[in-house]
Amino acid sequence: MQNQQEDKVKIYAMGGVGEIGNNMTVIEINEDIFIIDAGMMHPKDEMFGVDTVIPDITHLEQKRDRIKAIFLTHAHSEHIGGIPYLIKKIKAPIYGTTLTLAFLEQMLREMKSNKKVKTYTIDPDKEVWIGSNRVSFFRTNHSIPDSVGLAFHTSQGAIVHTGDFKFDYTPVDGVKFDLSKLTRIGDEGVLCLLSDSKNAELPGHTPSESTVGERIEDVFYFAEGRVITALYASNLHRIQQVVNAAVQTKRKVALDNRYLERLVGIATKLGYLHVPKHTFISLDKIDKRPDREIAIISTGPEGDPMSPLIKIANHSHKKLQPKDTDIFIYASSASPGDEKDVTKAIDSLMRIGVQVVYGKDVHVSGHASEEDLKLMLELVRPKYLIPIHGEFRMLKVHMDIAASTGLPLHHVFLLDKGDVVEFTKGEARETEKVPAGQVLVDGLGVGDVGNIVLRDRRLLAEDGTLIVVVTLGRRSKAILSGPEIITRGFVYVRESEELIEDANQIVTEVLSKALNEKVSEWSSLKNGIRDALGRYLYDKTKRRPMILPIIMEI
Amino acid sequence: MQNQQEDKVKIYAMGGVGEIGNNMTVIEINEDIFIIDAGMMHPKDEMFGVDTVIPDITHLEQKRDRIKAIFLTHAHSEHIGGIPYLIKKIKAPIYGTTLTLAFLEQMLREMKSNKKVKTYTIDPDKEVWIGSNRVSFFRTNHSIPDSVGLAFHTSQGAIVHTGDFKFDYTPVDGVKFDLSKLTRIGDEGVLCLLSDSKNAELPGHTPSESTVGERIEDVFYFAEGRVITALYASNLHRIQQVVNAAVQTKRKVALDNRYLERLVGIATKLGYLHVPKHTFISLDKIDKRPDREIAIISTGPEGDPMSPLIKIANHSHKKLQPKDTDIFIYASSASPGDEKDVTKAIDSLMRIGVQVVYGKDVHVSGHASEEDLKLMLELVRPKYLIPIHGEFRMLKVHMDIAASTGLPLHHVFLLDKGDVVEFTKGEARETEKVPAGQVLVDGLGVGDVGNIVLRDRRLLAEDGTLIVVVTLGRRSKAILSGPEIITRGFVYVRESEELIEDANQIVTEVLSKALNEKVSEWSSLKNGIRDALGRYLYDKTKRRPMILPIIMEI
């Protein structure tokens, strides 16, 4: 029997450990490689001008032929946003549930991706065999419908990956976490659990999504004007609850933008959203009805709740001007780094008299808290735990939680991107480290914005630039034209004429001296200009613009 | 009797309402004007390269001769950081308590301010008369010692300004909030209370500073290696508690930088800090003792706790390398907008094994919470309330709190900067609006960085710049040199040679065509270059660098 030979198992993360987003886990079973999720991440502040960050998959490209499948746990961009880039390099079938694949296809259409991908729909109640590998699934709860976890059944035991999850005993769509299936997988013996850590720092149990619906309903009953709800477009559970509240209070619902309309359209068609006929109206038509019959669901061009909040607060939303009779529900939490902008916008709305409802009453997380993580460990009873999906801090707290339930500390692996855990005879150890990291995407450029470009953008952002151009005669060694000085982002030129004139004078002096001394090395001349000007400008302004001397030769 | 004539009273804020920082309140009594605090604010993210933000005092400059005094409630930079700029324009004596004036003088020395200012030390137990105006003071509790509130006694009743405050019944320095004095002022009849709103959104009572000391002591007893505490340099109460914990656990204390050393020196000399002899050692000498005998107090060059956290976490602190036996206490909260950087740094420290203690156990606020605000209202019993020191949201919550205690809503004024409240016969109404706003300071430039400069910095930060230079013959209308293309922050040039060559080609074509057509209007030629290049570059890269065509004429 071939099963007598032990499966060789390796696990590593290409992203999603030590960071939020960029989720990508790799499982190698013998010669076969499986990728679970391929996410993206929003750029950090210091990544000036970068649009998206994705995992560096150079290592996987080298193993391209061994990759048998890509599994998607759910349709959030932190889990599928890397797919358009991945499929340019790696050809493997993609497995996802109905909604996940539908949203993936919509994303690929929007990005005008012309790659053909083979997809298979996951039925969570059925297993799939890929080569000699058996993979089973279990339904989870999360802030998007149709999310799953999965299990790879190896001869050393199962490898269980939770995806993002919470336990919601009163889910909005009635689709419950398949605890029974998960328990059965646990009964069969689990070698290693990879489990969501994003909310490990929160005590207790993450509340049900339906608690948000109750509060939204209260607001709708109470509101005498329009109710505008800003939320993540992918949170269909919450959209359903807003729709329900609107229907109950006899309001029509207008959707803020095309992106939202398309997602809602897909979800409705597939049966993930239930909207009575004639509920939706066009945003252009809301003024034709009394305000108290209007509800608006708002989201940004990429489905985020922050951009409509800011646009409406700044009166820069094309179709929606705030009124002092409006109630604005910010049904989301501010992501780290966004708090300032969110509170500023809420402030502006309140100033014009809009009632703003925000905070934990109208938002619950889609991720498991401390007690939920303990329940997960209890049901799965893994021999080893690899905390995933979180900053290092969160992974560490998850480790401590596991230890408190009795898992030995050395059975928990806190991984950095690329760290490989290898399993032999049911024992795990960290063996090697494969190359891993992140790739910055700016416009069409994938990975071409590196440290030098970012450093220059940072310098330019700080004090702007000052450009000095001069035309010199190659033979005459005389100044034929210039020096001309152009600045951007340094000083307001009309108020700084004297400064610019003095700068001009300094350049002319440096040039004349150099030309008299027959300097012919332009680079040293440029350095001379840069030094003299830099000193002068810093002395006068305490600023350090990027100085770019350009010498034209004739 | 001259008192039979009613005092004319006006109140307005030049800053600190609708924003955190920039605090500056103005009280006009008849012809006399009093300024309370002159703060600064840290620039927001979108203010690229700006160092400091201060209130626009153009309006006060016009009334310069009527300004009789500047009162400082305490020494935080949000309250005194605007003084160096204010005293360049306005000559008036400054009143502050001993520590406040000492810190102010230190700040002026550091900024090399050569303005002479006349200062008067406030003794909170004594009143002062300025002209025919009587001003009295009351001691408060805050996150810096020697803070006061003040009362202007007018014929219409007192105007009470709380400064920043909390009620601490177990203050570290034993100096209690003078509740009895405040009550007496209340008994005499208060026309209007201006009260700190920063923590209005927090329920309950702000805990005593000494609760932090208890937790710090626990950590010190438990620690087997060094203990590094990052805190605000001005929080002398907390420094005292760290010193106490160090002395009790037989540790020497090293101070991180000169700035901290100077503040601690001043505070010790004036008796605000009590440090046993031989407690301090130089940071250079900490390696000569066992780690468990070392405590380090850390702060940034401007006294903030975040920069040492980040420097130590990134191994870029010149004198302090983290060890896996260290315990790091982050005895501060992350300011809005800083959460990302703070959590990232904590993450990095934990990765290398440093134990990090952070959160509400080792930090309490210096501002009054909801129940404290109610107590303030109860003791002062004002006829009118003007919530100050907070974003609009916080001012509004403060209003609701006041209403819950029985103050009529129309007796609360939510002010925007410059809104004037005028009092006649004990009745208040908003009358006019004086010019008010904010001034950006960048290096030596005060107010010269405006929208155009900031817009350019933002554009440069996004996609960098591309400069095209060409030398044309004035008469020959021929290209004599160039086009030469230089980019910064756009693409990595070595990997984009083809792109740059094509761009060069496009410029040459536009030029040749224009020269053939005898175009002599350089500005339209520049626009032509900008358009053609912009289209091409966006098409190829989906980026929009700032394109700067420069034409040199010979």
Side-chain angles (χ1 to χ4, degrees):
Chain A
M1 272 172 46
Q2 69 184 137
N3 270 0
Q4 280 180 319
Q5 199 146 20
E6 186 185 79
D7 288 327
K8 284 189 342 204
V9 179
K10 284 186 188 180
I11 300 178
Y12 50 96
M14 302 302 290
V17 287
E19 64 198 1
I20 300 286
N22 259 0
N23 298 300
M24 182 185 260
T25 311
V26 180
I27 299 181
E28 299 191 12
I29 304 174
N30 303 318
E31 285 306 298
D32 296 339
I33 296 180
F34 303 99
I35 298 174
I36 303 168
D37 292 337
M40 53 76 81
M41 196 163 89
H42 291 289
K44 305 201 170 96
D45 286 346
E46 70 268 21
M47 298 176 185
F48 288 110
V50 168
D51 301 319
T52 299
V53 180
I54 54 173
D56 181 351
I57 55 160
T58 323
H59 175 72
L60 290 175
E61 284 178 60
Q62 290 161 6
K63 295 176 166 176
R64 155 185 310 130
D65 297 335
R66 293 171 52 196
I67 299 169
K68 298 298 179 236
I70 301 160
F71 291 96
L72 302 179
T73 59
H74 63 285
H76 278 151
S77 60
E78 294 82 0
H79 295 258
I80 69 170
I83 291 286
Y85 307 96
L86 186 74
I87 59 179
K88 284 183 192 164
K89 313 274 186 175
I90 287 166
K91 208 175 137 90
I94 298 179
Y95 289 74
T97 54
T98 306
L99 186 75
T100 302
L101 291 182
F103 279 11
L104 173 69
E105 278 152 20
Q106 175 59 24
M107 183 182 73
L108 292 173
R109 261 195 302 277
E110 272 165 27
M111 293 182 70
K112 300 194 172 59
S113 173
N114 51 8
K115 283 279 162 198
K116 283 276 165 246
V117 274
K118 196 161 179 61
T119 58
Y120 293 100
T121 305
I122 293 174
D123 175 348
D125 294 328
K126 292 188 181 148
E127 310 179 331
V128 298
W129 283 84
I130 298 174
S132 57
N133 303 287
R134 180 166 66 98
V135 186
S136 62
F137 307 92
F138 51 94
R139 290 188 178 79
T140 61
N141 299 124
H142 190 43
S143 45
I144 188 169
D146 231 8
S147 58
V148 291
L150 58 167
F152 295 83
H153 301 273
T154 82
S155 68
Q156 295 190 58
I159 309 293
V160 176
H161 188 294
T162 64
D164 285 353
F165 78 99
K166 70 191 281 188
F167 293 114
D168 191 335
Y169 306 122
T170 53
V172 173
D173 58 3
V175 178
K176 299 202 173 179
F177 199 116
D178 195 344
L179 295 178
S180 139
K181 177 81 158 284
L182 188 67
T183 309
R184 284 201 306 277
I185 293 171
D187 290 343
E188 285 175 29
V190 171
L191 178 62
C192 183
L193 171 68
L194 296 123
S195 181
D196 180 8
S197 313
K198 193 170 172 205
N199 272 4
E201 292 175 303
L202 300 188
H205 168 78
T206 304
S208 168
E209 173 65 26
S210 47
T211 60
V212 172
E214 290 162 24
R215 177 70 179 125
I216 287 179
E217 224 179 274
D218 289 349
V219 174
F220 270 70
Y221 272 107
F222 170 77
E224 299 193 349
R226 308 182 301 183
V227 184
I228 306 168
T229 310
L231 42 64
Y232 274 106
S234 61
N235 197 333
L236 300 175
H237 302 310
R238 205 158 290 170
I239 293 177
Q240 182 70 63
Q241 297 191 102
V242 174
V243 168
N244 294 353
V247 170
Q248 276 167 47
T249 55
K250 300 198 174 20
R251 290 167 187 268
K252 299 288 178 191
V253 178
L255 302 176
D256 177 314
N257 65 22
R258 295 272 161 123
Y259 179 82
L260 186 59
E261 279 173 11
R262 277 193 295 264
L263 286 201
V264 165
I266 293 169
T268 309
K269 199 173 139 202
L270 294 173
Y272 292 91
L273 259 185
H274 304 281
V275 184
K277 268 190 186 168
H278 310 301
T279 301
F280 288 133
I281 60 165
S282 158
L283 195 57
D284 300 321
K285 302 235 169 89
I286 53 174
D287 289 337
K288 299 199 174 148
R289 290 174 175 272
D291 284 351
R292 60 166 302 126
E293 293 178 12
I294 298 295
I296 297 153
I297 301 179
S298 215
T299 189
E302 287 173 11
D304 68 291
M306 191 169 86
S307 74
L309 168 70
I310 289 173
K311 269 192 197 152
I312 294 170
N314 294 344
H315 296 264
S316 62
H317 193 292
K318 277 179 200 152
K319 297 185 173 179
L320 208 48
Q321 289 301 317
K323 298 183 180 183
D324 59 7
T325 50
D326 288 343
I327 297 190
F328 191 101
I329 305 177
Y330 189 66
S332 175
S333 67
S335 309
D338 289 345
E339 293 89 348
K340 243 176 165 172
D341 294 333
V342 167
T343 55
K344 192 178 150 200
I346 291 176
D347 227 61
S348 305
L349 283 177
M350 286 174 116
R351 260 172 212 264
I352 50 176
V354 175
Q355 279 196 60
V356 186
V357 184
Y358 61 103
K360 66 179 168 26
D361 280 356
V362 290
H363 174 74
V364 297
S365 167
H367 297 269
S369 303
E370 178 175 353
E371 299 306 316
D372 303 310
L373 295 177
K374 288 180 187 164
L375 175 58
M376 174 59 79
L377 285 159
E378 206 52 43
L379 296 177
V380 175
R381 289 147 287 158
K383 184 164 180 186
Y384 292 97
L385 170 70
I386 300 180
I388 53 170
H389 300 175
E391 292 171 18
F392 186 79
R393 226 169 53 252
M394 301 161 186
L395 307 181
K396 189 164 181 300
V397 173
H398 197 169
M399 174 172 83
D400 295 339
I401 291 170
S404 80
T405 70
L407 203 71
L409 273 182
H410 65 280
H411 281 210
V412 184
F413 289 91
L414 296 185
L415 299 189
D416 238 342
K417 277 179 285 211
D419 288 341
V420 177
V421 179
E422 212 170 317
F423 297 84
T424 319
K425 295 181 185 161
E427 302 291 327
R429 60 197 178 95
E430 269 190 67
T431 49
E432 50 175 334
K433 192 177 178 84
V434 301
Q438 57 188 20
V439 173
L440 310 187
V441 181
D442 180 6
L444 294 181
V446 178
D448 68 334
V449 168
N451 289 336
I452 294 176
V453 172
L454 286 181
R455 184 205 59 193
D456 284 348
R457 288 183 186 173
R458 181 169 50 75
L459 292 175
L460 289 167
E462 191 64 25
D463 284 328
T465 182
L466 182 144
I467 302 151
V468 191
V469 192
V470 64
T471 308
L472 297 181
R474 189 173 293 133
R475 268 180 251 149
S476 67
K477 302 282 180 206
I479 300 176
L480 301 181
S481 171
E484 190 154 329
I485 291 182
I486 291 109
T487 76
R488 285 294 185 279
F490 168 48
V491 289
Y492 186 52
V493 178
R494 291 206 187 159
E495 290 174 358
S496 312
E497 280 174 19
E498 203 179 319
L499 185 79
I500 302 296
E501 270 168 35
D502 288 352
N504 218 310
Q505 190 59 40
I506 286 167
V507 176
T508 309
E509 280 164 23
V510 173
L511 278 170
S512 309
K513 187 157 174 286
L515 294 174
N516 278 340
E517 289 168 3
K518 309 281 182 218
V519 169
S520 59
E521 193 54 73
W522 287 162
S523 68
S524 78
L525 183 52
K526 285 180 185 177
N527 282 338
I529 293 174
R530 208 179 276 122
D531 291 349
L533 261 188
R535 265 197 309 276
Y536 171 76
L537 296 174
Y538 184 73
D539 187 48
K540 285 288 174 191
T541 66
K542 291 280 181 283
R543 298 178 197 169
R544 299 188 190 282
M546 183 186 280
I547 298 172
L548 296 174
I550 302 172
I551 296 175
M552 305 291 285
E553 263 187 334
I554 293 183
Chain B
M1 274 174 39
Q2 70 182 137
N3 270 0
Q4 279 179 321
Q5 198 146 20
E6 185 186 79
D7 287 328
K8 284 191 339 205
V9 179
K10 283 185 188 179
I11 300 178
Y12 49 95
M14 302 301 291
V17 287
E19 63 197 3
I20 300 286
N22 259 0
N23 297 300
M24 183 184 259
T25 310
V26 180
I27 298 182
E28 299 190 11
I29 303 174
N30 302 317
E31 284 306 297
D32 296 339
I33 296 180
F34 303 99
I35 298 174
I36 303 168
D37 292 337
M40 52 75 82
M41 196 163 88
H42 291 289
K44 304 202 169 97
D45 286 345
E46 69 269 21
M47 298 177 184
F48 288 109
V50 168
D51 301 320
T52 299
V53 181
I54 54 173
D56 182 351
I57 54 159
T58 322
H59 175 72
L60 290 176
E61 284 178 60
Q62 292 161 5
K63 295 176 166 177
R64 141 179 330 121
D65 298 334
R66 293 172 52 197
I67 299 170
K68 298 298 180 233
I70 301 160
F71 291 97
L72 302 179
T73 58
H74 62 285
H76 278 152
S77 60
E78 293 82 1
H79 295 258
I80 68 170
I83 291 286
Y85 307 96
L86 185 75
I87 59 179
K88 284 184 192 163
K89 313 274 186 174
I90 287 167
K91 208 174 137 89
I94 298 178
Y95 289 74
T97 54
T98 307
L99 186 74
T100 303
L101 291 182
F103 279 10
L104 172 70
E105 279 153 20
Q106 175 59 24
M107 183 182 74
L108 292 173
R109 263 195 300 279
E110 271 165 27
M111 292 182 71
K112 301 193 171 59
S113 172
N114 51 9
K115 285 278 162 198
K116 284 275 164 244
V117 274
K118 197 163 178 61
T119 57
Y120 293 102
T121 305
I122 293 174
D123 174 347
D125 293 328
K126 292 187 181 145
E127 309 178 333
V128 298
W129 283 84
I130 298 174
S132 57
N133 303 287
R134 181 165 66 96
V135 187
S136 61
F137 307 91
F138 51 94
R139 288 178 224 280
T140 61
N141 298 125
H142 190 42
S143 45
I144 188 169
D146 231 9
S147 58
V148 291
L150 59 168
F152 295 82
H153 301 274
T154 82
S155 69
Q156 295 190 58
I159 310 294
V160 176
H161 188 294
T162 65
D164 285 352
F165 79 99
K166 69 191 281 188
F167 293 115
D168 191 336
Y169 306 121
T170 54
V172 172
D173 58 4
V175 178
K176 299 203 173 179
F177 199 117
D178 195 344
L179 295 179
S180 140
K181 177 80 158 288
L182 188 67
T183 309
R184 284 200 307 279
I185 293 171
D187 289 342
E188 286 176 28
V190 172
L191 178 63
C192 183
L193 171 68
L194 296 125
S195 182
D196 181 7
S197 313
K198 193 170 171 205
N199 272 4
E201 292 175 304
L202 300 188
H205 169 76
T206 304
S208 168
E209 173 65 26
S210 47
T211 60
V212 172
E214 291 163 23
R215 177 68 180 127
I216 287 179
E217 225 179 275
D218 289 348
V219 174
F220 270 70
Y221 272 107
F222 169 78
E224 300 195 346
R226 309 181 302 181
V227 185
I228 305 168
T229 309
L231 40 64
Y232 274 106
S234 62
N235 197 334
L236 300 175
H237 303 310
R238 206 159 289 171
I239 292 178
Q240 182 71 63
Q241 298 192 101
V242 174
V243 168
N244 294 352
V247 170
Q248 277 168 46
T249 56
K250 303 200 171 22
R251 290 167 186 268
K252 298 289 178 191
V253 179
L255 301 177
D256 177 315
N257 64 22
R258 294 271 162 123
Y259 179 82
L260 186 58
E261 279 172 12
R262 278 193 295 263
L263 287 201
V264 164
I266 294 169
T268 309
K269 199 173 141 203
L270 295 173
Y272 291 91
L273 258 185
H274 304 281
V275 184
K277 268 190 187 169
H278 309 301
T279 301
F280 287 133
I281 60 166
S282 158
L283 194 57
D284 300 321
K285 301 235 168 90
I286 53 174
D287 289 336
K288 298 199 174 147
R289 291 174 175 271
D291 284 351
R292 61 167 301 128
E293 293 177 11
I294 297 296
I296 297 153
I297 300 180
S298 214
T299 190
E302 289 172 9
D304 68 292
M306 191 170 84
S307 74
L309 168 71
I310 289 173
K311 268 192 197 152
I312 294 170
N314 293 345
H315 296 264
S316 62
H317 192 294
K318 277 179 198 151
K319 297 185 173 178
L320 208 49
Q321 288 301 316
K323 298 183 180 183
D324 59 7
T325 49
D326 288 343
I327 296 191
F328 191 102
I329 305 177
Y330 189 66
S332 175
S333 68
S335 310
D338 289 344
E339 295 88 347
K340 243 176 164 173
D341 294 333
V342 166
T343 55
K344 194 178 148 196
I346 291 176
D347 226 63
S348 305
L349 283 176
M350 286 174 113
R351 261 172 212 265
I352 50 176
V354 175
Q355 278 195 62
V356 186
V357 184
Y358 61 102
K360 66 179 171 21
D361 280 356
V362 289
H363 174 72
V364 297
S365 168
H367 297 270
S369 302
E370 178 174 353
E371 298 306 316
D372 303 310
L373 296 177
K374 288 181 188 165
L375 176 58
M376 174 58 79
L377 285 159
E378 206 52 45
L379 296 177
V380 175
R381 288 148 289 159
K383 184 164 179 188
Y384 292 98
L385 170 70
I386 300 179
I388 52 170
H389 301 175
E391 292 171 17
F392 186 80
R393 226 169 52 252
M394 302 161 186
L395 307 181
K396 189 163 180 300
V397 173
H398 197 169
M399 175 172 82
D400 294 340
I401 290 170
S404 80
T405 70
L407 203 70
L409 272 182
H410 65 280
H411 280 209
V412 184
F413 289 90
L414 296 185
L415 299 189
D416 237 343
K417 276 179 284 209
D419 287 342
V420 178
V421 180
E422 211 170 318
F423 297 85
T424 320
K425 296 181 184 160
E427 301 292 327
R429 60 196 177 92
E430 270 190 67
T431 49
E432 50 176 333
K433 191 177 179 84
V434 302
Q438 57 188 23
V439 173
L440 310 188
V441 181
D442 180 6
L444 294 182
V446 178
D448 69 334
V449 169
N451 290 335
I452 294 176
V453 172
L454 286 181
R455 185 206 58 193
D456 285 348
R457 288 183 186 173
R458 180 169 51 75
L459 291 175
L460 290 166
E462 190 65 25
D463 284 329
T465 183
L466 182 144
I467 302 150
V468 192
V469 192
V470 64
T471 308
L472 297 181
R474 189 173 293 132
R475 269 180 249 149
S476 67
K477 304 284 182 206
I479 301 175
L480 299 181
S481 172
E484 191 155 328
I485 290 182
I486 291 108
T487 77
R488 286 292 186 279
F490 168 47
V491 290
Y492 186 52
V493 178
R494 291 206 188 160
E495 289 173 0
S496 312
E497 280 173 19
E498 203 180 319
L499 184 79
I500 302 297
E501 271 168 34
D502 288 352
N504 219 310
Q505 189 59 37
I506 286 167
V507 176
T508 309
E509 278 163 25
V510 173
L511 279 170
S512 310
K513 188 156 172 287
L515 294 174
N516 279 340
E517 290 167 3
K518 309 281 182 217
V519 170
S520 58
E521 193 55 73
W522 287 164
S523 67
S524 79
L525 183 52
K526 284 180 185 177
N527 282 338
I529 293 174
R530 209 179 274 120
D531 291 348
L533 260 187
R535 266 197 310 276
Y536 171 75
L537 295 174
Y538 185 73
D539 187 48
K540 285 288 175 191
T541 66
K542 291 279 181 284
R543 297 178 199 168
R544 300 186 191 283
M546 183 187 279
I547 298 172
L548 296 174
I550 302 172
I551 296 174
M552 306 290 285
E553 262 187 335
I554 294 183

